[in-house]
């Protein structure tokens, strides 16, 4: 939740009214140009542009940016609903499993796991264990809240950086849960690499999200047992996932 607190801090600070010294506004000057015997009053530069409202323009640009970001979020929810309607839905211990007929990358959103048609049965226990960890830790709620903040503060680059860091933290936590359950690191990495391609919405926790060199190092580090003890419940997730696969095959 530290990332969410940082974003809230960025929203609150600009709202605070800090008194500042007000400069004295001098009256606008005019320049008199004499051409022959006729005198012509030439308005100053400030008068020439006084009819253009820069503040209104900034609000229009900001509103367009927010509208585009919000529209993207809504479109992603619509796509997820289409995948759900076109797939086969089963329920396992309070979690919905959707086997889609489309070529998608496995991901989870709230209490539903979406698995593509190209997923091998041998990869199901690992994938379900990974996505189940996201569900247990309520990562989807944080992702959706972060996407809303990105829509409101789309102009702030630090919000986008914080969003990427949040995704990394979520994946590190899920990886630690799976590796801590006893899953072989090389087999786990192979499963991740096999699911690099396919549709996965930004609002969801995708299996291939933030698959960087740093993440692969962390997976191998966890496999050596250096941080495995931090997640005592991980074995429960993988065992339950295997039970689900056995019940559906």
């Amino acid at each position: 939740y530290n990332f969410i607190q940082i974003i809230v801090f960025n929203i609150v600070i600009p709202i605070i009214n800090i008194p500042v010294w007000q400069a004295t506004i001098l009256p606008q000057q005019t320049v008199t140009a004499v051409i022959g015997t006729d005198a012509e009053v030439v308005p100053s530069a400030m008068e020439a542009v006084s009819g253009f409202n820069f503040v209104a323009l900034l609000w229009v640009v900001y509103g367009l940016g927010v509208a585009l970001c919000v529209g993207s979020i809504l479109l992603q929810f619509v796509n997820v609903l289409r995948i759900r309607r076109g797939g086969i839905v089963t329920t396992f211990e309070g979690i919905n499993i959707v086997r889609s007929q489309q070529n998608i990358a496995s991901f989870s959103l709230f209490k539903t796991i979406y698995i593509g048609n190209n997923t091998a049965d041998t990869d199901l226990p690992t994938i379900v264990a990974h996505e189940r960890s996201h569900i247990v830790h309520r990562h989807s709620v944080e992702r959706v809240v972060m996407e809303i903040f990105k829509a409101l503060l789309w102009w702030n680059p630090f919000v986008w950086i914080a969003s990427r860091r949040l995704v990394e933290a979520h994946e590190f936590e899920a990886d630690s849960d799976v590796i801590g359950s006893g899953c072989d690191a090389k087999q786990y990495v192979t499963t991740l690499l096999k699911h690099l391609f396919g549709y996965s919405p930004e609002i969801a926790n995708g299996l291939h999200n933030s698959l960087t060199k740093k993440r692969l190092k962390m997976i191998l580090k966890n496999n050596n047992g250096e941080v495995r003890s931090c997640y005592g419940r991980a074995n429960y997730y993988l065992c339950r996932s295997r039970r689900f696969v056995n019940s559906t095959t």
Side-chain angles (χ1 to χ4, degrees), residues 17-23:
N17 185 14
I18 302 176
V20 295
W21 175 77
Q22 298 292 334

Side-chain angles (χ1 to χ4, degrees), residues 95 97-99 104-108 112-116 118-135 171 174 178 183 187-188 190-196 205-208 237-238 241-242 244-245:
I95 296 179
I97 312 291
V98 178
R99 292 299 301 265
I104 64 172
S106 299
F107 63 90
S108 61
T112 303
I113 300 175
Y114 298 84
I115 301 175
N118 58 341
T119 303
D121 292 338
T122 55
D123 295 335
L124 285 179
T126 303
I127 293 175
V128 174
H130 178 95
E131 301 303 337
R132 188 186 182 104
S133 175
H134 286 305
I135 294 174
E171 297 306 322
V178 177
C183 179
Q187 180 183 356
Y188 182 56
T190 301
T191 302
L192 295 177
L193 294 176
K194 289 194 299 185
H195 294 81
L196 282 177
N205 298 106
L207 188 67
H208 62 0
Y237 305 147
L238 189 58
S241 303
R242 287 170 177 165
F244 162 74
V245 175

Side-chain angles (χ1 to χ4, degrees), residues 7 12 18 54-55 66 77 92 138 144 151 181 184 186 227 232 237:
I7 301 303
V12 172
I18 302 176
F54 286 102
V55 176
V66 173
F77 275 111
F92 180 72
R138 297 181 177 88
V144 173
S181 66
D184 181 72
K186 293 183 179 180
V227 293
Y237 305 147

Side-chain angles (χ1 to χ4, degrees), residues 5-209:
Q5 293 174 1
I6 293 174
I7 301 303
V8 173
F9 182 78
N10 279 273
I11 295 178
V12 172
I13 289 299
I15 301 177
I16 299 177
N17 185 14
I18 302 176
V20 295
W21 175 77
Q22 298 292 334
T24 303
I25 301 176
L26 298 177
Q28 299 178 0
Q29 302 295 326
T30 59
V31 179
T32 304
V34 179
I35 304 177
T37 58
D38 298 328
E40 180 182 359
V41 178
V42 181
S44 64
M46 289 296 297
E47 291 179 346
V49 298
S50 60
F52 190 80
N53 194 332
F54 286 102
V55 176
L57 176 62
L58 291 177
W59 277 110
V60 170
V61 174
Y62 170 76
L64 290 175
V66 173
L68 290 175
C69 293
V70 172
S72 175
I73 295 174
L74 296 177
L75 181 61
Q76 292 178 63
F77 275 111
V78 171
N79 291 335
V80 172
L81 289 176
R82 289 176 179 174
I83 294 175
R84 184 186 181 95
R85 291 176 181 175
I88 302 174
V89 183
T90 57
T91 303
F92 180 72
E93 296 187 352
I95 296 179
N96 297 320
I97 312 291
V98 178
R99 292 299 301 265
S100 174
Q101 303 302 316
Q102 304 179 26
N103 184 17
I104 64 172
S106 299
F107 63 90
S108 61
L109 183 62
F110 298 114
K111 291 186 177 183
T112 303
I113 300 175
Y114 298 84
I115 301 175
N117 60 351
N118 58 341
T119 303
D121 292 338
T122 55
D123 295 335
L124 285 179
T126 303
I127 293 175
V128 174
H130 178 95
E131 301 303 337
R132 188 186 182 104
S133 175
H134 286 305
I135 294 174
V136 171
H137 294 297
R138 297 181 177 88
H139 289 165
S140 292
V141 177
E142 297 180 4
R143 288 294 301 274
V144 173
V145 172
M146 179 60 74
E147 290 299 316
I148 294 175
F149 283 140
K150 284 170 59 178
L152 296 176
L153 301 173
W154 58 266
W155 48 269
N156 191 339
F158 294 101
V159 177
W160 297 83
I161 296 174
S163 177
R164 290 197 296 269
R165 296 296 180 266
L166 179 65
V167 174
E168 291 179 357
H170 287 171
E171 297 306 322
F172 288 158
E173 192 169 18
D175 293 339
S176 297
D177 282 351
V178 177
I179 297 300
S181 66
C183 179
D184 181 72
K186 293 183 179 180
Q187 180 183 356
Y188 182 56
V189 171
T190 301
T191 302
L192 295 177
L193 294 176
K194 289 194 299 185
H195 294 81
L196 282 177
F197 305 101
Y199 175 74
S200 179
E202 290 291 331
I203 58 175
N205 298 106
L207 188 67
H208 62 0
N209 284 349

